[in-house]
Amino acid sequence: MAGNSFGNLFKVTTFGESHGTAIGGVIDGCPAGIHLDMIAIQNEMSRRKPGQSDIVTQRKEPDTVQFLSGIFEGLTTGTPIGFVIKNANQKSKDYSHIKDVYRPSHADYTYDKKYGVRDYRGGGRSSARETACRVVAGAIAKQLLKGVSIHAFTSSVGKISINQPYQNLDFSKIETNAVRCPDDVIAKKMITEIKNIRKEGDTIGGTVTCVLKNVPVGLGEPVFDKLHAELGKAMLSINAVKGFEYGSGFCGVEMKGSEHNDIFNEDGSTKTNLSGGIQGGISNGEDIYFRVAFKPVATIMQKQKTINSEGQKLEMQGRGRHDPCVVPRAVPIVEAMAALVVADYYLLNKITKL
Amino acid sequence: MAGNSFGNLFKVTTFGESHGTAIGGVIDGCPAGIHLDMIAIQNEMSRRKPGQSDIVTQRKEPDTVQFLSGIFEGLTTGTPIGFVIKNANQKSKDYSHIKDVYRPSHADYTYDKKYGVRDYRGGGRSSARETACRVVAGAIAKQLLKGVSIHAFTSSVGKISINQPYQNLDFSKIETNAVRCPDDVIAKKMITEIKNIRKEGDTIGGTVTCVLKNVPVGLGEPVFDKLHAELGKAMLSINAVKGFEYGSGFCGVEMKGSEHNDIFNEDGSTKTNLSGGIQGGISNGEDIYFRVAFKPVATIMQKQKTINSEGQKLEMQGRGRHDPCVVPRAVPIVEAMAALVVADYYLLNKITKL
Amino acid sequence: MAGNSFGNLFKVTTFGESHGTAIGGVIDGCPAGIHLDMIAIQNEMSRRKPGQSDIVTQRKEPDTVQFLSGIFEGLTTGTPIGFVIKNANQKSKDYSHIKDVYRPSHADYTYDKKYGVRDYRGGGRSSARETACRVVAGAIAKQLLKGVSIHAFTSSVGKISINQPYQNLDFSKIETNAVRCPDDVIAKKMITEIKNIRKEGDTIGGTVTCVLKNVPVGLGEPVFDKLHAELGKAMLSINAVKGFEYGSGFCGVEMKGSEHNDIFNEDGSTKTNLSGGIQGGISNGEDIYFRVAFKPVATIMQKQKTINSEGQKLEMQGRGRHDPCVVPRAVPIVEAMAALVVADYYLLNKITKL
Amino acid sequence: MAGNSFGNLFKVTTFGESHGTAIGGVIDGCPAGIHLDMIAIQNEMSRRKPGQSDIVTQRKEPDTVQFLSGIFEGLTTGTPIGFVIKNANQKSKDYSHIKDVYRPSHADYTYDKKYGVRDYRGGGRSSARETACRVVAGAIAKQLLKGVSIHAFTSSVGKISINQPYQNLDFSKIETNAVRCPDDVIAKKMITEIKNIRKEGDTIGGTVTCVLKNVPVGLGEPVFDKLHAELGKAMLSINAVKGFEYGSGFCGVEMKGSEHNDIFNEDGSTKTNLSGGIQGGISNGEDIYFRVAFKPVATIMQKQKTINSEGQKLEMQGRGRHDPCVVPRAVPIVEAMAALVVADYYLLNKITKL
């Protein structure tokens, strides 16, 4: 209700501010008896953590997750899985200069107006640090979804984008470069672009594409909880996201029905997949694919005019170590949220028929 | 949980198949003491109903809503508002030819696989007829939101689109033409396009843009229930929707932070509004605007190859009276879903502070 | 949230006032493919309906349920089941004399204070008429729970109570007398007592005991949603209920652990069952039994002093046809609520393990 | 859904096993701007903690709560409040002897059957240690409810019970004796009884009565979420509870309507209060009072016959330090759960009218 839980049956609730003692969460509804691969979980954390390459923020946070409950002798017990991630980087004084300042296109102003009080240290609850908890939960969801593959990758940075369908790409290359783009040539251009942008003290947006293979037929709960509606909400809830499309997406609006319809093969699969693996809100067994738009990071290393909480004009400039482009580190977050949705809907679908 | 409810505090649950006895729903959580304008509600129904113009389906359904509870002497009583809309158009035999047929890019296949049983008459639960109930609930939500204006309109049909910012448009023109486009010149082109498409026995997609003015500051529940995340889910849950973007949307990904940031005025308003009226998932008082992508209707009046539930190949052709373009009738549905989200979040925000 | 829904996965939402057009509801989450016995559903309705015997209210309401959706060719389709029950007995003028009067120990005062507006005709939403919808939903839940038997019966009326353990009773006798007590001798005394009370223009309380057999092991969701906690809430939500106990109940508080503990047989069953079939909030396969306390009906045919909404003193007297004792008609309601809880928890338990 | 959350708007989710690293939880939906008295919170913890007197378990656990988020400069921020309580008493070897043993009237058997895997160390998730988290959340709820007083006390131990109405009692005496009974004479008898029981190696049940004063009129959400229904569920979810009654409770069933009805005073208050402060599921401003039945603790220091997970017979005897009577330590838990319900319903009621 208050917005810090996600999921129906496989449900994660998160807590924590960027510069508080710790962030963490509770995963309730994870089925019992799943053998958890702890190294795989930590690997997902490492894909998201700061300081992992020279094109992301150089903050140093180990981002080690500690599980407190719900796991016994390596197995999930069906009881809630509590976890915490300590905040290594609690330098409150770094943020004293923005205590009363509303940073442009950040959440400072809206949090202040909504809550009347705000942890002003580094974004507090509105910081993307919170997404580390999503990655923990998503990593467990992935382990529940045996057989389903989930691959997200950077499909564009600014105006540089992959120009071929995802079917041509080799997903094993995603983790071979810092920008997480499976097209080597484009990846290099993206990395150069990000470095140039950073030199300008500026930031840039981008898109992440995600492809899910082998999702069972039947997931999705019409009419309001269609599978793509929940995926859309999941993605739009990630910091800096401005748009979501699946299957033919916004391109589909220019097409005719005779072009857009996916004709069946005799086995129920389809010859084309403009539907994006979902029909009537329910997965049909084809690949599910979607694209997520990320705006440029609001914190820039240039002087900006702004106001403080008294409505006084002032000038400010970003300090510290920020991402010039959020997309490379967003890739594992997109995957995590996708895994959470699919795991939840997989469980929901178990009671559709007896 | 099973997908037929929307909202947290202002919550609508719908039921009904396109060719059953009736569709209807329950609105629970509508505050007591609201004087309901019944004519305004029925007017919204008329904006959605079939047969309203020569560019939509020519089916005749009066779509009269009957309220059964929760309203007494013109006022909401705080108890659940039950309502039904009778199905005038119950000609089951019209649909016998598709009993075992999976229509391409419809939900026939997925419903059959998910539920093992299916009301095959005209789409059953997957029919867009269900959205009539959303319009009823949305019309009540609008009356709760005094002072907030919600205007949706057709911003593109196929490749024909409005080429000016919404700020230049006169929303009072939306209802003056059949396609619900406030740009007269473009509207005519759209209408011609839809008529041509229909002559081909084909269908076409389009986009709806929605603008909300005077939404109070502070609506939205971070981190998972950000205002735009819920708006996105609401829109993606409408039949035929393939994408959602708000504020700068997919265009924003090509921008730099220095271009994209919305600089504050001294009163807390912003000079630009690429944020789309929402920052950190919370409304900031600026206009909220978003765009929704609709695919072309799957039912076309051309022969298509498909299969039946036995996996046998066959040929089929759409019959009856269908929309060549769903967008004009989708406009009130988009508004209704927007109103439901904002009303719900308006109530949620009432308990943020004591 | 607003209180008119019950259940997690098998969820019923009800609407309707006693003297509005109709009452009804939506059952969402009923699994697909269940063949519904419509006669069995109507039979449950008849067990609850007014006028069924000479010890209950003589109002005449046919209480015929009409299903509007979610059932096709006799099977549940997995889509929401909408239903309505028309109000035959809409004589609004009968209630004009209580328009502004707060009847003692009714909900008139609290509804007025809470909502500021109230449908004063016959109790409106606070009338026990609403429980007819629970019986519809419960009758469907019973059909989902093949193999589980649910038997409620009148275990006391005023000071007259069954003095033997339920194991000695023949449940097939419950429906053989008007008071629904399986002990013939006690039943006669109860009926006489109720008739005497009615002659006095008074009312009397009583208890209903409910026994569930063959509930599968494993139902219940610790720690907050323990099976008996949800059963307790379900019962306490029925009009006029003042208490709930299961297993040893309030008697258990006087016992020692060495007396109270249920010793295991080798097959996991227990020699005694003071636990009432639930341990740690989870069913253990033994009989689940509980007892529900109903207060005397507040409407009496005697003069009472009271006040109106202006705080003025006045005298009033119940009119019309009311139950002198609510317990006989409460028996099917108790069963319905028990069935709803067990069906819901049966579905919930399906995702405890993969 | 999976049972570890309580509340609608003021919602607590707990995690943790008795012998894991830590227990803890997340409170989501606490309004922003509440100044928290941390000493008061820790005082509530001390009322529940083991080792506090010579009639409770002599285990030593400091039960210090550490808050991780949601509080900044002494104020709640409206973001989720995460907290942990470390388990000081993690001696896993103490419990190796019960690894495969099903203790009579414990949850060992049902957890094993439900989940297929179980943390067998000291009860794991089914241990009453979990209630420490409820006390944390309840202590915060109490601070939200300014003006409302909540007093629970021990009203009976075994057959020894207070024989006067609560109105005659001096609640300031509750904390003056180890058994938390405000009647000095009865308190002494209770303490003697508990000591005698402990010498026998046995345990005994009891009841807790709770009285809430100054609850605002209007709390409660008919029809399913009546205030007393939620209070009942809250109490029944506490370990060892077997029954709940409010107002006249089970005694009310023997009364006539003419005796039971609460006649109004001119100001809307009532001359009697057999309703227990709730009419039609909504608080009416009178005292809310209810009684909760606790069974004798299942762990006894006597030899008992039982079985293990292989179905083999064996003998076992409780070891370690257990409560001979759970009631004295249950008093703050009852208050905490009552506070959670009232705080939640207080917030819910804020949106009944605009």
Side-chain angles (χ1 to χ4, degrees):
Chain A
M1 196 66 34
N4 297 288
S5 296
F6 188 83
N8 296 278
L9 291 175
F10 190 98
K11 187 170 198 161
V12 61
T13 301
T14 71
F15 66 82
E17 280 79 41
S18 60
H19 289 65
T21 310
I23 61 173
V26 186
I27 300 159
D28 200 15
C30 183
I34 298 174
H35 185 86
L36 288 186
D37 179 342
M38 292 300 182
I39 293 167
I41 296 170
Q42 197 58 51
N43 282 349
E44 295 292 326
M45 298 297 287
S46 298
R47 293 175 73 206
R48 197 211 70 98
K49 80 173 177 187
Q52 63 182 263
S53 77
D54 64 351
I55 60 167
V56 305
T57 171
Q58 295 304 302
R59 280 196 310 277
K60 292 294 175 201
E61 284 169 306
D63 275 358
T64 306
V65 59
Q66 183 190 14
F67 290 102
L68 302 176
S69 66
I71 305 167
F72 187 59
E73 299 178 345
L75 293 173
T76 59
T77 60
T79 62
I81 300 171
F83 64 90
V84 289
I85 305 164
K86 295 222 171 102
N87 284 330
N89 205 23
Q90 287 176 255
K91 296 187 198 161
S92 293
K93 43 192 156 171
D94 280 354
Y95 291 88
S96 58
H97 63 297
I98 56 163
K99 180 174 176 177
D100 298 314
V101 177
Y102 295 145
R103 294 168 297 165
S105 288
H106 271 278
D108 303 336
Y109 176 79
T110 52
Y111 267 66
D112 239 20
K113 293 295 171 190
K114 181 179 183 69
Y115 299 108
V117 54
R118 176 169 64 96
D119 182 344
Y120 50 76
R121 299 169 301 168
R125 183 65 180 156
S126 74
S127 163
R129 174 141 187 77
E130 170 268 330
T131 57
C133 297
R134 304 180 181 213
V135 171
V136 173
I140 292 177
K142 279 185 177 182
Q143 298 193 28
L144 183 153
L145 294 168
K146 290 192 203 313
V148 177
S149 81
I150 302 177
H151 285 291
F153 56 89
T154 298
S155 45
S156 78
V157 168
K159 292 182 170 116
I160 303 163
S161 66
I162 296 179
N163 292 315
Q164 47 185 328
Y166 78 81
Q167 290 86 345
N168 295 358
L169 301 171
D170 176 359
F171 291 165
S172 71
K173 287 190 177 171
I174 295 171
E175 294 296 317
T176 62
N177 58 63
V179 77
R180 293 199 166 88
C181 171
D183 180 323
D184 293 336
V185 180
I186 300 295
K188 275 179 200 156
K189 289 185 188 170
M190 288 172 169
I191 292 169
T192 303
E193 171 75 355
I194 293 173
K195 288 183 178 174
N196 287 340
I197 289 286
R198 186 176 51 195
K199 273 180 211 149
E200 297 172 22
D202 216 329
T203 60
I204 189 80
T207 58
V208 172
T209 295
C210 185
V211 182
L212 292 87
K213 292 175 175 288
N214 300 318
V215 174
V217 183
L219 307 198
E221 301 298 322
V223 293
F224 292 108
D225 298 338
K226 293 183 168 108
L227 183 55
H228 57 268
E230 191 76 357
L231 283 168
K233 178 172 177 180
M235 298 308 143
L236 287 156
S237 77
I238 300 172
N239 304 48
V241 172
K242 303 298 288 185
F244 170 86
E245 59 178 4
Y246 80 105
S248 62
F250 277 90
C251 294
V253 306
E254 301 194 358
M255 296 175 78
K256 296 181 182 179
S258 57
E259 299 164 326
H260 193 276
N261 283 353
D262 294 318
I263 303 304
F264 283 105
N265 297 310
E266 286 171 65
D267 62 356
S269 67
T270 57
K271 293 180 199 301
T272 51
N273 183 21
L274 291 158
S275 298
I278 303 173
Q279 291 181 328
I282 300 169
S283 61
N284 68 352
E286 302 296 308
D287 289 355
I288 293 173
Y289 62 98
F290 57 83
R291 209 161 68 102
V292 187
F294 289 83
K295 69 168 190 174
V297 174
T299 301
I300 58 176
M301 301 297 126
Q302 298 177 358
K303 278 197 180 153
Q304 288 183 99
K305 289 187 178 164
T306 193
I307 60 168
N308 64 15
S309 58
E310 306 299 315
Q312 295 165 316
K313 290 197 263 188
L314 49 88
E315 251 190 7
M316 66 164 299
Q317 181 170 343
R319 293 191 204 170
R321 294 150 296 176
H322 294 275
D323 287 287
C325 178
V326 81
V327 172
R329 288 178 59 211
V331 164
I333 304 167
V334 166
E335 289 183 7
M337 292 307 297
L340 286 173
V341 171
V342 177
D344 189 36
Y345 277 58
Y346 174 74
L347 296 179
L348 277 171
N349 194 45
K350 288 216 164 283
I351 48 91
T352 299
K353 292 177 285 197
L354 288 185
Chain B
M1 194 70 32
N4 297 288
S5 296
F6 188 82
N8 297 279
L9 292 175
F10 190 98
K11 186 172 198 160
V12 61
T13 301
T14 72
F15 64 83
E17 280 79 41
S18 59
H19 288 65
T21 309
I23 60 173
V26 186
I27 300 158
D28 201 15
C30 182
I34 298 174
H35 185 85
L36 287 187
D37 178 344
M38 292 300 182
I39 293 167
I41 296 171
Q42 197 59 49
N43 282 350
E44 295 292 326
M45 297 298 287
S46 299
R47 294 175 73 206
R48 196 213 71 97
K49 79 172 176 186
Q52 63 182 263
S53 77
D54 64 351
I55 60 166
V56 305
T57 171
Q58 294 304 303
R59 279 196 311 276
K60 292 291 176 203
E61 285 169 307
D63 277 359
T64 306
V65 59
Q66 183 189 15
F67 290 102
L68 303 176
S69 66
I71 305 167
F72 187 61
E73 299 177 346
L75 292 174
T76 60
T77 60
T79 63
I81 301 170
F83 64 89
V84 288
I85 305 164
K86 295 225 171 99
N87 284 329
N89 204 23
Q90 287 176 257
K91 296 187 198 159
S92 292
K93 43 192 157 170
D94 279 355
Y95 292 88
S96 59
H97 63 298
I98 55 161
K99 179 174 177 177
D100 298 313
V101 176
Y102 294 146
R103 293 169 296 166
S105 288
H106 271 279
D108 303 337
Y109 175 80
T110 51
Y111 267 66
D112 239 19
K113 293 296 170 188
K114 181 178 182 69
Y115 298 108
V117 53
R118 176 169 64 95
D119 183 344
Y120 51 77
R121 298 169 299 169
R125 183 66 180 156
S126 73
S127 163
R129 174 141 185 77
E130 170 268 330
T131 57
C133 298
R134 303 181 181 211
V135 172
V136 173
I140 293 177
K142 279 185 177 181
Q143 298 192 26
L144 183 152
L145 293 168
K146 292 190 202 312
V148 177
S149 80
I150 303 178
H151 286 291
F153 57 87
T154 298
S155 45
S156 77
V157 168
K159 292 184 170 111
I160 303 163
S161 66
I162 296 178
N163 291 315
Q164 47 184 326
Y166 78 81
Q167 290 87 345
N168 295 357
L169 301 171
D170 176 0
F171 292 164
S172 73
K173 288 191 177 172
I174 295 171
E175 294 297 317
T176 62
N177 57 64
V179 76
R180 294 201 164 87
C181 172
D183 180 322
D184 294 336
V185 179
I186 300 295
K188 276 178 198 155
K189 290 185 188 171
M190 288 173 171
I191 291 168
T192 303
E193 171 75 355
I194 292 173
K195 289 182 176 173
N196 288 339
I197 288 285
R198 188 176 50 195
K199 273 179 211 152
E200 296 172 23
D202 216 331
T203 60
I204 188 78
T207 56
V208 172
T209 295
C210 186
V211 182
L212 292 87
K213 291 177 176 286
N214 299 321
V215 174
V217 183
L219 308 198
E221 299 299 322
V223 292
F224 293 108
D225 298 338
K226 293 182 167 112
L227 183 56
H228 57 269
E230 192 75 356
L231 283 169
K233 179 173 176 179
M235 299 306 144
L236 287 156
S237 78
I238 301 172
N239 303 48
V241 172
K242 303 298 289 184
F244 170 87
E245 60 178 3
Y246 81 104
S248 62
F250 277 91
C251 294
V253 306
E254 300 193 358
M255 296 174 78
K256 295 181 184 178
S258 58
E259 300 165 325
H260 194 277
N261 284 353
D262 293 319
I263 303 304
F264 283 105
N265 296 311
E266 285 170 67
D267 62 358
S269 66
T270 57
K271 295 179 197 301
T272 51
N273 183 21
L274 291 159
S275 299
I278 303 172
Q279 292 181 327
I282 299 168
S283 62
N284 69 352
E286 302 296 309
D287 289 355
I288 294 174
Y289 62 98
F290 56 85
R291 209 162 67 102
V292 187
F294 289 82
K295 69 167 189 174
V297 174
T299 300
I300 58 176
M301 300 298 125
Q302 299 177 356
K303 279 199 181 151
Q304 289 183 98
K305 290 187 179 163
T306 193
I307 60 168
N308 65 15
S309 60
E310 305 299 314
Q312 294 165 317
K313 290 198 262 190
L314 50 87
E315 251 190 4
M316 67 164 298
Q317 181 169 343
R319 295 190 203 170
R321 295 149 297 177
H322 294 276
D323 287 288
C325 180
V326 80
V327 171
R329 289 178 58 212
V331 165
I333 305 167
V334 165
E335 288 183 8
M337 293 306 298
L340 287 174
V341 171
V342 177
D344 188 37
Y345 277 59
Y346 175 74
L347 296 180
L348 277 171
N349 194 45
K350 288 217 165 281
I351 49 91
T352 299
K353 291 178 285 196
L354 287 186
Chain C
M1 195 67 34
N4 297 289
S5 297
F6 189 82
N8 296 279
L9 292 175
F10 190 98
K11 186 170 198 162
V12 61
T13 301
T14 72
F15 65 82
E17 279 81 40
S18 60
H19 288 64
T21 310
I23 60 172
V26 186
I27 300 159
D28 201 15
C30 183
I34 298 175
H35 184 88
L36 288 186
D37 179 344
M38 292 299 183
I39 293 167
I41 295 170
Q42 197 58 51
N43 283 350
E44 294 292 326
M45 298 297 288
S46 298
R47 294 174 72 204
R48 196 212 72 97
K49 79 172 176 187
Q52 64 183 264
S53 77
D54 64 351
I55 59 167
V56 306
T57 172
Q58 295 304 303
R59 278 197 311 277
K60 292 292 174 202
E61 284 169 306
D63 276 358
T64 306
V65 60
Q66 182 189 15
F67 290 102
L68 302 176
S69 66
I71 305 168
F72 187 60
E73 299 177 345
L75 293 174
T76 59
T77 60
T79 63
I81 300 171
F83 64 90
V84 289
I85 305 164
K86 294 222 170 102
N87 285 330
N89 205 24
Q90 286 177 254
K91 297 186 198 160
S92 293
K93 45 191 155 169
D94 279 355
Y95 292 88
S96 58
H97 63 296
I98 55 164
K99 179 175 175 176
D100 297 314
V101 176
Y102 295 145
R103 294 168 296 166
S105 288
H106 272 279
D108 304 337
Y109 175 79
T110 51
Y111 268 66
D112 240 20
K113 292 295 169 189
K114 181 178 183 68
Y115 299 108
V117 55
R118 177 170 64 94
D119 182 345
Y120 50 77
R121 299 169 299 168
R125 183 67 180 154
S126 73
S127 163
R129 174 141 186 77
E130 169 269 329
T131 57
C133 298
R134 304 180 181 213
V135 172
V136 173
I140 292 177
K142 278 185 177 181
Q143 297 193 28
L144 183 153
L145 293 168
K146 291 190 201 313
V148 177
S149 80
I150 303 178
H151 286 291
F153 57 88
T154 299
S155 45
S156 77
V157 168
K159 291 183 170 114
I160 303 163
S161 66
I162 296 178
N163 292 313
Q164 45 185 329
Y166 78 81
Q167 290 86 348
N168 294 358
L169 301 171
D170 176 359
F171 292 164
S172 72
K173 289 191 177 171
I174 295 171
E175 294 297 317
T176 63
N177 58 63
V179 76
R180 294 201 165 87
C181 171
D183 180 322
D184 293 336
V185 180
I186 301 295
K188 277 178 199 156
K189 291 185 187 169
M190 288 173 171
I191 290 169
T192 304
E193 171 74 356
I194 292 173
K195 290 182 177 173
N196 288 339
I197 289 285
R198 188 177 48 195
K199 274 178 211 150
E200 297 172 23
D202 216 331
T203 59
I204 188 77
T207 57
V208 172
T209 296
C210 187
V211 182
L212 292 88
K213 291 176 176 288
N214 299 320
V215 174
V217 183
L219 309 197
E221 300 299 323
V223 294
F224 293 108
D225 298 338
K226 293 182 167 111
L227 183 55
H228 57 268
E230 192 75 357
L231 283 168
K233 178 173 176 178
M235 299 307 144
L236 288 156
S237 78
I238 300 171
N239 303 47
V241 172
K242 302 298 287 185
F244 170 87
E245 60 178 5
Y246 81 105
S248 62
F250 277 90
C251 293
V253 307
E254 300 193 358
M255 297 174 78
K256 295 180 183 177
S258 58
E259 299 164 327
H260 194 277
N261 283 352
D262 294 318
I263 304 302
F264 283 105
N265 296 311
E266 286 170 63
D267 63 356
S269 66
T270 58
K271 293 179 199 301
T272 51
N273 182 21
L274 291 158
S275 298
I278 303 172
Q279 291 180 330
I282 299 169
S283 61
N284 69 352
E286 303 296 309
D287 289 355
I288 293 173
Y289 61 98
F290 57 83
R291 211 162 66 101
V292 187
F294 289 84
K295 69 167 189 174
V297 173
T299 301
I300 59 177
M301 302 296 126
Q302 298 178 358
K303 280 199 178 150
Q304 289 183 99
K305 291 186 178 163
T306 192
I307 59 168
N308 63 16
S309 59
E310 306 299 316
Q312 294 165 318
K313 289 198 263 189
L314 50 88
E315 250 190 6
M316 66 166 298
Q317 181 170 343
R319 293 191 204 169
R321 296 149 296 178
H322 293 276
D323 287 288
C325 179
V326 80
V327 172
R329 289 178 58 212
V331 164
I333 304 167
V334 165
E335 289 183 7
M337 293 307 297
L340 286 174
V341 171
V342 177
D344 188 38
Y345 277 59
Y346 174 73
L347 295 180
L348 277 171
N349 193 45
K350 288 217 165 281
I351 49 90
T352 299
K353 290 177 285 197
L354 287 186
Chain D
M1 195 67 33
N4 297 290
S5 295
F6 188 83
N8 295 279
L9 291 175
F10 191 97
K11 186 171 200 160
V12 60
T13 301
T14 72
F15 65 83
E17 280 80 40
S18 59
H19 288 65
T21 309
I23 61 173
V26 186
I27 300 158
D28 200 16
C30 183
I34 299 173
H35 185 87
L36 288 185
D37 178 343
M38 292 300 182
I39 292 167
I41 296 171
Q42 197 59 49
N43 282 350
E44 294 293 325
M45 298 297 287
S46 299
R47 292 174 74 206
R48 197 211 70 98
K49 79 172 177 186
Q52 63 182 264
S53 78
D54 63 352
I55 60 166
V56 305
T57 172
Q58 295 304 301
R59 278 197 310 277
K60 292 292 176 203
E61 285 168 306
D63 277 358
T64 307
V65 59
Q66 183 190 14
F67 290 102
L68 303 176
S69 66
I71 305 166
F72 187 60
E73 298 177 345
L75 293 174
T76 59
T77 60
T79 63
I81 301 171
F83 63 90
V84 289
I85 306 164
K86 294 222 172 103
N87 284 330
N89 205 22
Q90 286 175 256
K91 296 185 199 162
S92 292
K93 44 191 157 171
D94 280 354
Y95 291 88
S96 59
H97 64 297
I98 55 162
K99 178 174 176 177
D100 297 314
V101 175
Y102 294 146
R103 294 168 297 165
S105 288
H106 272 278
D108 304 337
Y109 175 79
T110 51
Y111 268 66
D112 240 19
K113 293 295 170 189
K114 182 179 182 70
Y115 299 109
V117 54
R118 176 170 64 95
D119 182 343
Y120 50 77
R121 298 169 301 168
R125 183 66 180 155
S126 73
S127 163
R129 174 142 186 76
E130 170 268 331
T131 57
C133 298
R134 304 181 180 211
V135 172
V136 173
I140 292 176
K142 278 185 177 181
Q143 298 192 27
L144 183 153
L145 294 167
K146 292 193 202 311
V148 177
S149 81
I150 303 177
H151 285 291
F153 56 88
T154 299
S155 45
S156 78
V157 169
K159 292 182 171 116
I160 303 162
S161 66
I162 296 177
N163 293 315
Q164 48 185 326
Y166 78 81
Q167 290 86 344
N168 294 358
L169 300 171
D170 176 359
F171 292 165
S172 72
K173 286 190 177 172
I174 294 171
E175 295 296 318
T176 63
N177 57 63
V179 78
R180 295 202 164 86
C181 171
D183 180 323
D184 294 337
V185 180
I186 300 295
K188 275 178 198 154
K189 290 185 187 169
M190 288 173 170
I191 291 168
T192 304
E193 172 74 355
I194 292 173
K195 289 182 176 172
N196 288 339
I197 289 285
R198 186 175 52 194
K199 274 180 209 148
E200 296 171 23
D202 216 330
T203 60
I204 188 77
T207 56
V208 172
T209 295
C210 186
V211 182
L212 292 86
K213 292 175 176 289
N214 300 320
V215 173
V217 183
L219 309 197
E221 300 299 321
V223 294
F224 293 108
D225 298 338
K226 292 181 167 112
L227 183 56
H228 56 269
E230 191 76 356
L231 283 169
K233 178 173 176 177
M235 299 307 145
L236 287 156
S237 78
I238 300 172
N239 303 48
V241 172
K242 304 297 289 184
F244 170 87
E245 59 178 7
Y246 81 104
S248 61
F250 278 90
C251 294
V253 306
E254 302 193 357
M255 297 174 78
K256 296 181 183 177
S258 58
E259 299 165 327
H260 194 276
N261 283 353
D262 294 319
I263 304 303
F264 283 105
N265 296 310
E266 287 170 65
D267 62 357
S269 66
T270 59
K271 294 181 198 301
T272 51
N273 183 20
L274 291 159
S275 299
I278 302 172
Q279 291 180 329
I282 300 168
S283 61
N284 68 353
E286 302 296 308
D287 289 354
I288 293 173
Y289 61 98
F290 57 83
R291 210 162 67 101
V292 187
F294 289 82
K295 69 168 189 174
V297 174
T299 301
I300 58 176
M301 302 294 126
Q302 298 177 358
K303 278 196 182 154
Q304 288 182 100
K305 288 184 181 167
T306 194
I307 59 168
N308 64 16
S309 58
E310 306 298 316
Q312 294 164 320
K313 291 198 263 190
L314 50 88
E315 252 190 4
M316 67 164 299
Q317 183 170 342
R319 294 192 203 169
R321 296 147 297 176
H322 294 274
D323 287 287
C325 179
V326 79
V327 172
R329 289 178 58 211
V331 164
I333 304 168
V334 165
E335 289 183 6
M337 292 307 298
L340 287 174
V341 170
V342 177
D344 189 36
Y345 278 58
Y346 174 74
L347 296 181
L348 278 170
N349 194 45
K350 288 216 163 282
I351 49 93
T352 299
K353 291 177 286 197
L354 286 186

